[in-house]
Short mmCIF file of all heavy atoms in Angstrom, two decimals:
data_model
loop_
_atom_site.label_atom_id
_atom_site.label_comp_id
_atom_site.label_asym_id
_atom_site.label_seq_id
_atom_site.Cartn_x
_atom_site.Cartn_y
_atom_site.Cartn_z
N ALA A 28 4.38 10.19 -7.12
CA ALA A 28 5.33 10.42 -8.19
C ALA A 28 4.65 10.78 -9.48
O ALA A 28 5.09 11.67 -10.18
CB ALA A 28 6.23 9.14 -8.33
N ALA A 194 0.17 59.64 -42.47
CA ALA A 194 -0.89 59.20 -43.37
C ALA A 194 -2.15 60.05 -43.22
O ALA A 194 -2.84 60.36 -44.17
CB ALA A 194 -1.23 57.75 -43.16
N ALA A 272 -2.61 38.11 -37.72
CA ALA A 272 -2.44 37.35 -38.93
C ALA A 272 -1.52 36.17 -38.66
O ALA A 272 -0.64 36.23 -37.79
CB ALA A 272 -1.87 38.19 -40.08
N LEU A 305 -12.46 52.02 -29.71
CA LEU A 305 -13.07 51.57 -30.95
C LEU A 305 -12.62 50.15 -31.22
O LEU A 305 -11.48 49.91 -31.50
CB LEU A 305 -12.73 52.46 -32.10
CG LEU A 305 -13.40 52.15 -33.47
CD1 LEU A 305 -14.93 52.19 -33.31
CD2 LEU A 305 -12.95 53.12 -34.53
#
Side-chain angles (χ1 to χ4, degrees):
L305 183 57

